[in-house]
Amino acid sequence: LQYPHATVEPLLSGISLRCSDWYNRLGAGSLLTGDPAFNYQEHELNERLKRLYPAVNEEETPLPRSWSPKDKYSYIGLSQNNLRVHYKGHGKNHKDAASVRATHPIPAACGIYYFEVKIVSKGRDGYMGIGLSAQGDNMNRLPGWDKHSYGYHGDDGHSFCSSGTGQPYGPTFTTGDVIGCCVNLINNTCFYTKNGHSLGNKLSALSFCPCLSFQPNLYPTVGLQTPGEIVDANFGQQPFVFDIEDYMSEWRAKIHSMIARFPIGERLGDWQAVLQNMVSSYLVHHGYCATAMTFARATETMIQEDQTSIKNRQRIQKLVLAGRVGEAIDATQQLYPGLLEHDPNLLFMLKCRQFVEMVNGTDSEVRCFSARSPKSQDSYPGSPNLSPRHGATNAHLHNTGADSPTCSNGVTPTNKNKSHNKYTGVSSASASSSPSSSPSSVNYSESNSTDSTKSQPHSATSNQETSDSEMEIEAEHYSNGVTESSTRIMNGTYKHQEILQADDNSVGNGVADDSCSSRQLCGGNQAATERMIQFGRELQALSEQLCRQYGKNATHKKMLQDAFSLLAYSDPWNCPVGQQLDPMQREAICSALNSAILESQNLPKQPPLMLALGQATECVQLMAKVRSGSCSFARVDNFLH
Amino acid sequence: KCLFHTEGLFKPEKKKKKNFDMKNAVIGNNRQKANLIVLGAVPRLLYLLQQSSSSLELRTECAVVLGSLSMGTENNIKSLVDCHIIPALLQGLLCSDLIFIEACLRCLRTIFISPVTPVQLLYTDPTVIPHLMSLLSRSQHTQEYITQIFAHCCKTPEHQTVLFNHGAIQNIAPLLISPSYKVRMQALKCFSVLAYENAQVSMTLVNVLVDGEQLSQVFVRMMQRDKPIEMQLTAAKCLTYMCRAGAIRTDDNCIVLKTLPCLVRMCSKERLLEERVEGAETLAYLMEPDIELQRIASVTDHLVSMLADYFKYPSSVSAITDIKRLDHDLKHAHELRQAAFKLYASLGSNDEDIRKKITETENMMDRIVSGLSESSIKVRLAAVRCLHSLSRSVQQLRTSFHDHAVWKPLMKLLQNAPDEVLVMASSTLCNLLLEFSPSKEPILESGVIELLCSLTQSDSPALRVNGIWALMNMAFQADQKVKVEIVQALGTEQLFRLLSDPDTNVLMKTLGLLRNLLSTRPHIDQIMSSHGKQIMQAVTLILEGEHSIEVKEQTLCILANIADGNTAKELIMTNDDMLQKIKYYMGHSNVKLQLAATFCISNLIWNEEDGSQERQDKLREMGFVDILHKLTQASDPNLCDRAKTAMQQYLA
């Protein structure tokens, strides 16, 4: 960790505090992952539960993992990590029955839940019951005797459903048998297994309350009644004897086919139109102009927005994604006057990003200090990747499941392959030299090359009239903030030493000592750095002004602090806040700007496709909340490929 | 409406056009197909197809049109087969063009899967099978059509052998992991017909690897519950057949934990009627010989009560709601019932508890009783099999069998039934005639003896055994009257004919009958006085003949019974040859025979009876005492005791 340099200190009040913050967070993180007391069985259990119940969010609804030492009758003794249950009462009659519940109820998002119990010893009489019960049920009973409790009893093989009298159900069970209990929250039934064989559900006898919302949370439960009875539970610690995954696969297939065969009847035409509209609007939203046009032609649909508008938005987005936020702000102000003035939050976000990009050395305000080929100065990037990516870090609604439709609809320029190769070459080189750089940068340059094939031809707007070769160069520039670091040269004109010198003279904040450092603050140019600091002050001023005008804004404050914190480190790219410099971070602001522009044009700020996706995801989550088990097999990501 | 000008086919320039018209006209129109056949298009098309001078395109079109014609009614297929379409198409397969081959195969496939086509036609030319095997590598289509042809045309052990010898297993196994579902499915079907009751194929199959994986594991994967039902069911069949052929143990996990549960699932209400029939039949076959599987199946998914649903077709609902459903239900009702009976029979064949569970199923006995008199022979046979299986239970014989008077329909069934039904029915009757069975009396009164005697004259050994067996059971501790009736009805001639029956079982049961007839002294004397000569002759014959230990033991037991009679004794005592035989068997190496012979002597020298002194003296002279003395030192405790008791007769 580096302490802030004196020259920048006045600008960065409170930065040391943030540094210690980060320090603390780092410390906490390392403690968490470094804990060696992670035993094998635990790991096995976690893996199995994750595989069986992928839809369960354990932070909200934890899965049962052992018997509860609190939720049991006094005649019950627990051992072996609360997995073994033994009876320690008198066992004279049914009044001496005793039960224990698992630590947690069965979450509805399981869809299908299963656990097994091995009879270690049947004890004196083998009066054992295995099943389910609700919280608050009397523990001085065997499962099945009370309301909301269900049990399969070993002595007579009967099944008890909230009643003191059982019904003939299956065989008896005794020492050595493995009894399983499967809860199906889709059709609200339950069945038991013995030694891996399903004993079946007699629907009339075993079905739960038909309306599950009235059904309280059910806990795995076991009850014993005579001395010497010992049973071991398996909540997933070990492989199950019954092939529950096979059973689940059947239900998954059932639900998927139910979805696939959802009757649409006469409305086939309507559905087609809706789907086409969704695709088209998605393409338009993200500015895939040529693709959208081709699609519209092929499907004979209309596009609401006119082409120029799409292209304008596309241009601005490209600028943001290329890190040239300053230019993007200018372009927005020019093309959509008043937009940013009416949305100071957005403007502030953009400016913050501009500052980050200055640090990065990609914003044109700092780039102009470096000698660039005049040709590329006034040309826009071919077409950087505009589509949102699936980012692990970016769980934003816009991003879920959106594929980058890079298909070029047949408008393939001849040099496509050539340029493609070139980019991959560049990016892979950078990836090897700077392992810390985000993996997305590789994707960027690759998709750039394919994207560039579709948007360029016959474009009416002047700025788009760049040749393919120029675009290649440009694209290199734009991704170079991070990826081209291996050469330390922005566009091939600077020599290595010159940059180092410039560094030593102007900044001198310790960067030069670190000869391994591959990237330079503001591209390593002193004038640029000064401009950056100047800009920082303006930003600070803007923040204060906004604060006066609209009151304190915690988000703004944090944004500003995070941005300024970058300067506190010798190598901002490898610092706790360095993630900001990742080009992927441009996407959020890019999409915010795009949405704002669309909104100002009275167009939807989100593509309907994304809305539908978001709604579906929400809906599935809501299903889990209202205890509709089929949600576990109807997860949205099952249908996104 | 649409008239075809077949003569157009003879004009070269018009051929293709005509063909094209024809193809479009006949697709999906059975009447047009029939028209075309009546007009004589088939020979012409076949002629063109076979002309190597005609263009490939035209020949292919011909095959396509023929293929379309074969999709029609069964009559269409008959006409096509009568025109010798099969050899012509098989000949076409020798062409090198894949499109043409595929068109020929498609048509062949359609013809061969029709029930009216004799499958033998595939095997008449011995070069056909190897050629088809070689075509398997050509394309997914050839794979699909050829495997489908094999799956339908492998009906006998000979067919299995032909296909096996031409490398069917090696050629078809890789197709199980084909990307095409149809190919996978047809390949699977091939294996199920190849493995059925065929140990050679089954033993080979277990060692086959597909992409490094054992075939049985491939089948297990195909039984996963998210796979199509058809695939699960067929894979379960393959494993069942392999298991029954001895290639997979019945306690193997892939049988116990996979195949059996899969087949039980096939019996569930959610499945189609056809699937339920096949599932139940296959399951019955799988667990027939294994009590452990029967026990597991009996508790899996409430199979026993699940099967009760098989009897509810056509349901009252279907009769009212729609006629189509009723028709469908009616068509499958018989099949469902016979499948359920078969499965019950298999389930209950060994375990008393399961039998109890079955008879306690709703209306079970009534269903069997009415099943015995159903019009469908398949149902009757299955019902009587089920009854037979349940009749092995003493408890059921005493209770439910009697309560439901099952003997009545059973007796009715025995009149004029085909042999396979007769075998099962008479077998069941054997059990119903057991001494403790309350049905025995009413059956006797219904004149069963005549019927059983006529069974002993049957050509089928199984029927002869059952007939004589039933008589044997009947004679056990029976009244004199019944015994006489039996002897009279059977006739000594027939009795002695049975004693020289080539089937050991028949011989054994006949001896058993004799033994039962010759029990209690008055009966012995009476029968021996009227038939003594013949019986002694028969006994001599058997003791001198080449027979198994069991047969000889049984014979010696008869002799011992004779020796117990008052007057009958003399038949032995006056027969020195017989006494020498007894002496010989007392010194035999087999303890059972020694014991039986000693019994006989013991009876002869028994003190309390008239003339015992003379007999003792005679036998002492013949050296029996020495032998008895030796036998008192025998290591076998029974033999030793018996010899000592005999010796005591001398001492007293």
Side-chain angles (χ1 to χ4, degrees):
Chain A
L1 276 177
Q2 291 280 334
Y3 287 99
H5 191 266
T7 51
V8 286
E9 195 156 24
L11 177 77
L12 306 162
S13 50
I15 196 125
S16 50
L17 179 77
R18 290 218 45 83
C19 283
S20 59
D21 264 7
W22 279 107
Y23 183 81
N24 286 339
R25 279 191 222 175
L26 259 180
S30 65
L31 253 177
L32 213 122
T33 51
D35 187 4
F38 225 70
N39 73 38
Y40 177 74
Q41 200 186 41
E42 187 93 16
H43 176 75
E44 179 106 320
L45 172 66
N46 286 334
E47 288 293 304
R48 187 166 292 114
L49 293 182
K50 215 183 294 169
R51 195 172 65 238
L52 287 173
Y53 317 115
V56 173
N57 176 2
E58 282 216 78
E59 284 173 17
E60 284 178 18
T61 51
L63 287 157
R65 279 157 199 262
S66 63
W67 301 115
S68 166
K70 292 172 202 148
D71 201 5
K72 69 179 184 65
Y73 196 64
S74 55
Y75 289 170
I76 290 286
L78 296 178
S79 60
Q80 302 197 355
N81 297 323
N82 292 335
L83 288 174
R84 171 164 288 190
V85 186
H86 67 269
Y87 184 78
K88 53 181 189 185
H90 311 293
K92 280 184 200 135
N93 55 37
H94 73 270
K95 283 178 188 157
D96 294 326
S99 290
V100 58
R101 270 189 280 272
T103 46
H104 299 285
I106 297 162
C110 289
I112 287 164
Y113 181 79
Y114 185 71
F115 73 98
E116 274 178 0
V117 166
K118 185 185 168 94
I119 315 301
V120 179
S121 165
K122 76 172 193 80
R124 199 184 68 203
D125 297 328
Y127 290 166
M128 302 161 291
I130 285 143
L132 310 160
S133 68
Q135 176 110 58
D137 277 358
N138 191 350
M139 296 314 276
N140 187 14
R141 313 273 282 159
L142 289 188
W145 288 351
D146 287 320
K147 212 179 167 205
H148 300 310
S149 98
Y150 308 86
Y152 168 37
H153 292 195
D155 54 318
D156 55 6
H158 286 188
S159 152
F160 290 73
C161 301
S162 314
S163 150
T165 40
Q167 301 193 4
Y169 171 73
T172 59
F173 56 85
T174 181
T175 307
D177 286 330
V178 177
I179 303 302
C181 172
C182 180
V183 184
N184 183 330
L185 293 147
I186 302 161
N187 64 2
N188 299 329
T189 56
C190 151
F191 66 86
Y192 302 96
T193 69
K194 180 181 169 182
N195 300 328
H197 289 279
S198 155
L199 303 177
N201 36 1
K202 276 187 175 166
L203 276 173
S204 54
L206 267 164
S207 67
F208 289 173
C209 170
C211 182
L212 204 73
S213 48
F214 294 123
Q215 186 81 34
N217 276 327
L218 290 170
Y219 291 72
T221 308
V222 64
L224 307 175
Q225 198 185 302
T226 65
E229 292 170 355
I230 305 169
V231 300
D232 277 350
N234 176 10
F235 294 108
Q237 282 86 356
Q238 263 129 41
F240 291 117
V241 181
F242 176 71
D243 194 344
I244 186 66
E245 286 174 65
D246 198 25
Y247 179 74
M248 285 175 155
S249 74
E250 183 182 349
W251 277 91
R252 188 174 299 117
K254 262 185 206 174
I255 288 175
H256 283 201
S257 84
M258 206 190 291
I259 294 170
R261 288 183 204 150
F262 183 79
I264 51 171
E266 312 270 287
R267 291 148 60 218
L268 185 65
D270 299 353
W271 279 65
Q272 182 134 16
V274 167
L275 290 178
Q276 283 170 352
N277 226 320
M278 279 194 151
V279 174
S280 165
S281 57
Y282 178 83
L283 293 172
V284 169
H285 180 93
H286 288 292
Y288 299 117
C289 192
T291 314
M293 292 303 160
T294 316
F295 183 82
R297 242 195 332 274
T299 57
E300 292 172 0
T301 47
M302 293 292 288
I303 290 176
Q304 285 188 327
E305 198 179 357
D306 68 65
Q307 266 198 61
T308 333
S309 167
I310 301 173
K311 280 180 180 152
N312 283 339
R313 281 192 298 110
Q314 193 181 24
R315 221 181 88 200
I316 292 165
Q317 288 188 77
K318 278 175 196 161
L319 285 169
V320 176
L321 287 178
R324 295 161 64 178
V325 184
E327 284 171 76
I329 295 172
D330 291 346
T332 311
Q333 276 163 343
Q334 182 196 334
L335 290 164
Y336 305 99
L339 174 78
L340 291 176
E341 284 75 6
H342 287 114
D343 193 348
N345 283 338
L346 182 62
L347 181 65
F348 184 75
M349 267 163 69
L350 282 165
K351 293 262 185 195
C352 272
R353 184 69 215 174
Q354 188 179 1
F355 178 80
V356 173
E357 295 300 348
M358 282 174 146
V359 176
N360 221 348
T362 37
D363 193 79
S364 36
E365 289 224 33
V366 295
R367 285 179 74 221
C368 63
F369 294 105
S370 27
R372 297 165 71 247
S373 64
K375 180 166 68 177
S376 54
Q377 218 164 29
D378 47 25
S379 68
Y380 290 104
S383 66
N385 183 9
L386 294 177
S387 78
R389 306 208 57 77
H390 296 273
T393 53
N394 242 352
H396 209 260
L397 193 61
H398 293 263
N399 298 335
T400 39
D403 260 320
S404 50
T406 46
C407 57
S408 52
N409 286 341
V411 230
T412 315
T414 46
N415 65 343
K416 179 189 170 186
N417 285 334
K418 185 190 132 216
S419 65
H420 188 84
N421 290 339
K422 190 173 172 187
Y423 288 132
T424 31
V426 167
S427 43
S428 63
S430 69
S432 59
S433 68
S434 58
S436 65
S437 69
S438 144
S440 74
S441 58
V442 176
N443 294 338
Y444 264 96
S445 30
E446 273 180 352
S447 35
N448 277 350
S449 62
T450 38
D451 261 16
S452 67
T453 58
K454 68 168 182 277
S455 57
Q456 48 81 29
H458 328 299
S459 54
T461 42
S462 57
N463 286 330
Q464 297 271 330
E465 285 173 352
T466 48
S467 75
D468 278 329
S469 60
E470 282 170 332
M471 279 195 283
E472 282 170 38
I473 297 164
E474 288 297 310
E476 269 179 81
H477 284 312
Y478 300 134
S479 52
N480 65 9
V482 176
T483 58
E484 280 221 329
S485 50
S486 59
T487 59
R488 300 191 193 180
I489 294 167
M490 295 308 296
N491 50 14
T493 44
Y494 275 128
K495 289 201 175 67
H496 189 173
Q497 293 86 350
E498 287 177 318
I499 298 168
L500 275 183
Q501 268 174 356
D503 248 349
D504 284 343
N505 298 343
S506 58
V507 186
N509 55 0
V511 176
D513 301 335
D514 185 6
S515 59
C516 293
S517 168
S518 45
R519 288 156 297 209
Q520 307 290 322
L521 202 62
C522 303
N525 185 298
Q526 188 185 5
T529 311
E530 276 165 11
R531 174 69 197 114
M532 181 261 290
I533 291 181
Q534 168 68 28
F535 185 81
R537 293 209 177 90
E538 289 166 27
L539 192 55
Q540 176 99 9
L542 177 64
S543 166
E544 280 157 15
Q545 182 208 325
L546 287 175
C547 194
R548 277 195 299 279
Q549 222 166 323
Y550 302 101
K552 284 202 174 171
N553 186 323
T555 325
H556 286 182
K557 202 176 165 195
K558 182 171 177 332
M559 226 188 295
L560 196 63
Q561 277 182 347
D562 283 348
F564 287 170
S565 301
L566 284 171
L567 300 184
Y569 301 93
S570 58
D571 181 2
W573 288 269
N574 281 315
C575 78
V577 287
Q579 209 200 7
Q580 291 178 88
L581 294 166
D582 189 331
M584 213 151 79
Q585 302 296 322
R586 294 166 189 160
E587 287 175 8
I589 180 89
C590 174
S591 115
L593 179 57
N594 190 34
S595 299
I597 296 172
L598 285 166
E599 238 183 335
S600 76
Q601 308 294 298
N602 286 326
L603 290 164
K605 66 172 179 173
Q606 263 188 28
L609 181 63
M610 285 309 166
L611 265 178
L613 204 60
Q615 275 171 349
T617 312
E618 269 304 304
C619 177
V620 171
Q621 276 163 14
L622 207 65
M623 281 167 79
K625 286 207 179 77
V626 300
R627 303 182 54 74
S628 168
S630 47
C631 65
S632 59
F633 299 128
R635 284 152 44 82
V636 173
D637 46 358
N638 286 342
F639 296 87
L640 300 172
H641 302 291
Chain B
K1 283 185 282 178
C2 177
L3 275 179
F4 293 103
H5 304 281
T6 40
E7 58 280 15
L9 284 168
F10 294 86
K11 292 173 190 143
E13 73 282 1
K14 285 186 182 168
K15 273 182 213 159
K16 221 158 72 188
K17 172 80 169 66
K18 271 283 168 240
N19 243 334
F20 190 73
D21 289 348
M22 224 190 292
K23 186 169 76 181
N24 288 334
V26 297
I27 285 175
N29 187 332
N30 276 348
R31 207 156 45 105
Q32 301 288 31
K33 284 174 191 170
N35 272 342
L36 203 63
I37 290 168
V38 170
L39 286 166
V42 180
R44 186 60 199 155
L45 284 165
L46 283 175
Y47 172 78
L48 288 173
L49 180 98
Q50 285 169 297
Q51 284 300 300
S52 46
S53 57
S54 29
S55 77
L56 256 178
E57 204 182 339
L58 176 66
R59 292 172 72 191
T60 309
E61 284 295 318
C62 287
V64 170
V65 175
L66 286 167
S68 181
L69 291 177
S70 64
M71 296 279 197
T73 61
E74 285 186 357
N75 276 333
N76 287 1
I77 295 199
K78 270 189 202 135
S79 327
L80 289 170
V81 174
D82 290 345
C83 294
H84 305 289
I85 187 173
I86 292 174
L89 288 170
L90 289 173
Q91 190 65 30
L93 298 181
L94 297 171
C95 173
S96 61
D97 184 72
L98 182 60
I99 307 287
F100 178 60
I101 289 175
E102 284 181 352
C104 289
L105 276 174
R106 192 181 302 119
C107 184
L108 276 170
R109 184 268 319 257
T110 318
I111 290 169
F112 272 120
I113 64 173
S114 162
V116 300
T117 312
V119 291
Q120 201 50 44
L121 291 174
L122 184 67
Y123 302 94
T124 27
D125 179 352
T127 62
V128 167
I129 301 293
H131 186 60
L132 287 174
M133 292 287 174
S134 73
L135 288 176
L136 275 175
S137 57
R138 291 296 293 275
S139 75
Q140 276 186 13
H141 283 127
T142 65
Q143 288 166 358
E144 181 195 334
Y145 302 144
I146 293 171
T147 45
Q148 200 174 354
I149 290 171
F150 287 165
H152 270 90
C153 294
C154 182
K155 304 253 190 224
T156 68
E158 292 75 41
H159 297 160
Q160 289 174 336
T161 310
V162 170
L163 291 173
F164 177 78
N165 288 342
H166 285 106
I169 293 177
Q170 290 73 17
N171 283 312
I172 298 173
L175 307 185
L176 286 173
I177 50 169
S178 159
S180 151
Y181 172 77
K182 283 182 179 169
V183 173
R184 285 202 304 277
M185 200 52 230
Q186 294 305 334
L188 188 61
K189 282 187 175 166
C190 268
F191 282 123
S192 81
V193 294
L194 280 170
Y196 180 66
E197 289 189 338
N198 191 319
Q200 188 187 31
V201 170
S202 296
M203 290 295 186
T204 313
L205 283 180
V206 278
N207 295 317
V208 170
L209 293 181
V210 181
D211 202 21
E213 198 179 10
Q214 280 197 333
L215 204 59
S216 55
Q217 288 312 304
V218 177
F219 291 149
V220 166
R221 254 194 302 112
M222 289 175 148
M223 284 192 299
Q224 277 170 11
R225 298 169 81 147
D226 54 349
K227 296 283 186 297
I229 297 300
E230 184 192 27
M231 180 172 266
Q232 290 184 41
L233 184 54
T234 316
K237 272 182 165 177
C238 288
L239 287 163
T240 298
Y241 298 158
M242 286 163 74
C243 178
R244 280 304 303 269
I248 303 177
R249 289 168 55 102
T250 48
D251 59 358
D252 193 301
N253 269 350
C254 77
I255 298 295
V256 180
L257 288 174
K258 297 291 172 186
T259 311
L260 184 136
C262 173
L263 288 170
V264 173
R265 289 202 301 275
M266 295 303 140
C267 301
S268 96
K269 225 173 182 171
E270 291 167 44
R271 302 276 72 86
L272 299 175
L273 299 185
E274 295 91 328
E275 293 160 353
R276 291 166 76 181
V277 170
E278 262 190 84
E281 285 181 330
T282 313
L283 183 57
Y285 182 62
L286 171 69
M287 64 189 181
E288 205 173 16
D290 191 277
I291 185 168
E292 209 36 58
L293 291 181
Q294 290 158 10
R295 286 192 180 133
I296 294 171
S298 73
V299 298
T300 302
D301 287 340
H302 300 111
L303 177 65
V304 175
S305 49
M306 199 197 285
L307 280 177
D309 285 333
Y310 277 49
F311 296 93
K312 295 178 180 162
Y313 293 91
S315 67
S316 45
V317 185
S318 60
I320 306 161
T321 50
D322 69 291
I323 211 80
K324 225 174 167 181
R325 167 98 187 272
L326 177 68
D327 190 44
H328 177 79
D329 283 5
L330 271 176
K331 223 185 263 170
H332 291 90
H334 297 301
E335 287 292 308
L336 280 164
R337 278 200 292 273
Q338 62 88 23
F341 280 137
K342 267 186 200 164
L343 189 45
Y344 277 132
S346 191
L347 271 170
S349 57
N350 295 101
D351 188 291
E352 186 66 36
D353 288 342
I354 302 176
R355 289 189 198 119
K356 186 160 176 279
K357 214 166 160 180
I358 293 172
T359 40
E360 280 167 4
T361 311
E362 47 170 319
N363 303 330
M364 193 58 213
M365 292 311 287
D366 291 337
R367 275 175 184 145
I368 296 179
V369 167
S370 60
L372 289 175
S373 44
E374 256 196 51
S375 58
S376 154
I377 178 129
K378 252 179 135 178
V379 179
R380 272 189 336 236
L381 179 60
V384 73
R385 268 175 74 171
C386 182
L387 192 67
H388 175 246
S389 177
L390 297 175
S391 73
R392 288 177 169 186
S393 153
V394 177
Q395 201 201 347
Q396 298 313 323
L397 280 177
R398 282 187 172 145
T399 56
S400 53
F401 274 56
H402 186 58
D403 297 344
H404 290 87
V406 292
W407 64 272
K408 278 187 195 162
L410 192 66
M411 287 301 291
K412 218 174 120 199
L413 192 65
L414 280 161
Q415 324 285 338
N416 304 321
D419 272 9
E420 37 177 359
V421 177
L422 267 184
V423 170
M424 285 323 287
S426 53
S427 202
T428 314
L429 197 61
C430 287
N431 292 342
L432 283 166
L433 284 170
L434 283 167
E435 164 271 328
F436 52 79
S437 158
S439 309
K440 186 174 175 177
E441 281 308 311
I443 297 178
L444 274 174
E445 282 158 23
S446 71
V448 74
I449 296 177
E450 287 292 329
L451 187 115
L452 292 173
C453 290
S454 69
L455 285 183
T456 65
Q457 296 177 0
S458 160
D459 290 335
S460 144
L463 282 179
R464 289 202 304 273
V465 171
N466 288 346
I468 197 78
W469 193 336
L471 289 170
M472 179 185 92
N473 284 352
M474 201 189 279
F476 183 74
Q477 296 181 358
D479 300 341
Q480 177 76 0
K481 184 178 148 269
V482 174
K483 287 186 182 173
V484 170
E485 231 179 290
I486 293 174
V487 175
Q488 276 175 356
L490 194 61
T492 38
E493 234 174 277
Q494 173 63 9
L495 189 67
F496 297 120
R497 207 176 295 133
L498 290 169
L499 282 174
S500 53
D501 200 282
D503 190 293
T504 322
N505 274 325
V506 176
L507 179 54
M508 278 298 283
K509 301 303 171 207
T510 314
L511 291 170
L513 170 66
L514 264 177
R515 211 177 137 182
N516 287 346
L517 290 172
L518 294 168
S519 74
T520 72
R521 217 162 274 163
H523 298 178
I524 297 170
D525 288 336
Q526 208 216 344
I527 293 174
M528 288 311 283
S529 67
S530 50
H531 305 285
K533 207 178 146 209
Q534 293 102 316
I535 291 176
M536 288 308 284
Q537 261 176 6
V539 168
T540 315
L541 220 64
I542 293 168
L543 288 178
E544 283 174 359
E546 292 282 316
H547 287 290
S548 66
I549 299 290
E550 286 73 31
V551 170
K552 297 209 164 161
E553 186 198 6
Q554 195 71 275
T555 316
L556 287 169
C557 286
I558 292 172
L559 214 51
N561 281 9
I562 296 170
D564 193 36
N566 281 328
T567 53
K569 275 191 179 65
E570 290 312 309
L571 284 167
I572 302 175
M573 285 311 293
T574 54
N575 188 337
D576 282 359
D577 179 46
M578 188 60 80
L579 289 172
Q580 287 301 335
K581 286 199 170 65
I582 297 173
K583 198 170 158 188
Y584 165 74
Y585 283 108
M586 280 173 80
H588 198 271
S589 58
N590 188 289
V591 176
K592 282 181 182 172
L593 297 184
Q594 283 179 297
L595 195 65
T598 314
F599 241 115
C600 190
I601 288 301
S602 169
N603 280 346
L604 287 175
I605 60 178
W606 207 253
N607 265 324
E608 293 133 45
E609 290 155 27
D610 287 347
S612 61
Q613 193 59 45
E614 293 96 83
R615 284 193 296 274
Q616 285 185 1
D617 292 345
K618 180 174 183 184
L619 292 173
R620 190 201 305 273
E621 275 165 42
M622 290 184 75
F624 276 95
V625 177
D626 298 341
I627 301 175
L628 283 173
H629 194 76
K630 226 189 272 169
L631 288 178
T632 53
Q633 311 295 316
S635 57
D636 185 86
N638 282 335
L639 185 56
C640 184
D641 284 356
R642 180 48 53 186
K644 278 177 185 162
T645 329
M647 284 299 283
Q648 272 162 11
Q649 304 300 314
Y650 276 99
L651 297 172

